[in-house]
Amino acid sequence: MAKKKFYVHINDSFCKKCGICYWICPTKTIVKGELGKPEVTDHDKCIGCLMCENACPDFAIDVVERKAVNENV
């Protein structure tokens, strides 16, 4: 069984750059970017724990499962 993969979407229009998401992320998928803006450099690091999504006070983060691609078809 393949490991699930996730996509972390950060809505810049809602985000206030509080830093909770990159502080709480256990895998450091979300990192502090320029001027404190949260950035995702590698979506493959995300384990789908939803800690960032649940902790965001502005509802600016959505973590969604990516569809698995079957390379044998």
Side-chain angles (χ1 to χ4, degrees):
M1 182 164 188
K3 179 184 167 201
K4 290 184 179 181
K5 295 187 178 208
F6 297 91
Y7 177 79
V8 181
H9 177 260
I10 300 171
N11 187 333
D12 292 332
S13 61
F14 291 169
C15 179
K16 291 190 292 191
K17 302 173 189 75
C18 67
I20 293 172
C21 56
Y22 49 79
W23 178 80
I24 203 167
C25 182
T27 60
K28 301 301 177 204
T29 301
I30 303 174
V31 295
K32 183 177 183 178
E34 190 173 326
L35 300 175
K37 179 180 178 256
E39 295 179 356
V40 180
T41 55
D42 184 9
H43 291 277
D44 290 335
K45 291 169 61 176
C46 180
I47 58 174
C49 68
L50 303 178
M51 289 175 66
C52 59
E53 186 176 316
N54 292 328
C56 181
D58 303 314
F59 305 103
I61 301 175
D62 290 313
V63 178
V64 293
E65 185 176 349
R66 291 188 278 171
K67 298 287 183 195
V69 177
N70 189 350
E71 296 178 4
N72 296 331
V73 175

